[in-house]
Amino acid sequence: MAPRSPKPPRVWQRMLSGRRLDLIDPSPLDVEIEDIAHGLARVARWNGQTLGPHIYSVAQHTLLVAQFAQAVDPELPRDARLAVLLHDGAEYVVGDIISPFKAVLGDGYKDIEKRLLAAIHIRFGLPPHPPASIAKAIKRADQAAAFYEATRLAGFGLDEARGFFGKPLPLPHDGETFLQPWDAETAKTRFLATFEAAFNG
């Protein structure tokens, strides 16, 4: 009797919405904004090595990035505002892998992340990959947010942070409130409200 073939590994994750998202071939039809908000509000930035009674979540980080992007360009168009808010969207599935570990993992991780983000973009009517101008705006705002998170929450010195993230942009109006870690429900609720405003705006 021929040996049975090993059962293939499971490559999908079940979401609280009931959706099953395939990590190898993600379908936009299996992407729900409530799942994204719920997951990102419970994923810790900086591997959890931050000050405060709560984790500093990826959901809160994306809202700070959106604050920076809007401060730089108050006329940021709808698609750009959505792309900024969703720039770390894949992390609701794969978590926030810190940059040093991404360097160790190499291109395999990046490919999965890119496919997931493309599916998220398509689900919400965006091109799979943002245009170069939007990608540049996201990177600039993301690095500014990372500088303030690093120095206010994650124990980095100012010179050390400048070496990694460059000269920071001025902190936007109300930016301080985005650097005080929120509980998960607050992060989720504020992320969803910001998404709805951008999506319908």
Side-chain angles (χ1 to χ4, degrees):
M1 185 175 180
R4 297 175 64 180
S5 299
K7 187 177 180 180
R10 176 171 68 88
V11 294
W12 52 264
Q13 179 177 343
R14 184 182 299 281
M15 304 298 170
L16 287 179
S17 66
R19 298 287 190 185
R20 295 200 315 186
L21 187 65
D22 190 309
L23 274 69
I24 304 300
D25 186 22
S27 168
L29 297 176
D30 290 324
V31 173
E32 299 288 350
I33 192 61
E34 289 81 7
D35 292 332
I36 293 174
H38 186 87
L40 294 185
R42 288 160 174 77
V43 172
R45 289 270 292 166
W46 306 98
N47 228 15
Q49 297 297 310
T50 49
L51 301 172
H54 304 288
I55 65 163
Y56 189 78
S57 72
V58 174
Q60 187 168 351
H61 160 76
T62 62
L63 293 172
L64 179 58
V65 173
Q67 290 285 311
F68 275 108
Q70 197 82 36
V72 170
D73 183 3
E75 302 302 317
L76 207 62
R78 171 189 177 275
D79 283 6
R81 284 184 284 129
L82 279 175
V84 169
L85 191 63
L86 296 169
H87 78 278
D88 280 338
E91 294 180 7
Y92 91 104
V93 183
V94 296
D96 182 26
I97 307 297
I98 57 173
S99 297
F101 195 29
K102 284 182 182 179
V104 172
L105 292 174
D107 291 340
Y109 172 83
K110 292 177 185 176
D111 289 344
I112 292 171
E113 193 174 46
K114 285 178 183 177
R115 283 198 294 268
L116 288 166
L117 192 55
I120 291 167
H121 280 190
I122 292 168
R123 169 65 177 84
F124 300 114
L126 300 174
H129 309 288
S133 60
I134 295 177
K136 185 177 179 181
I138 291 171
K139 185 174 180 62
R140 186 181 185 196
D142 193 30
Q143 288 193 308
F147 175 91
Y148 286 98
E149 293 167 14
T151 54
R152 302 289 184 86
L153 297 167
F156 283 62
L158 292 174
D159 290 340
E160 184 183 22
R162 286 191 193 99
F164 286 115
F165 310 114
K167 183 180 177 181
L169 295 167
L171 193 62
H173 176 66
D174 288 340
E176 290 288 350
T177 63
F178 291 84
L179 289 165
Q180 299 165 20
W182 306 329
D183 63 87
E185 258 334 284
T186 298
K188 176 181 176 179
T189 299
R190 294 189 69 167
F191 180 92
L192 283 172
T194 304
F195 172 84
E196 291 297 333
F199 189 74
N200 297 315

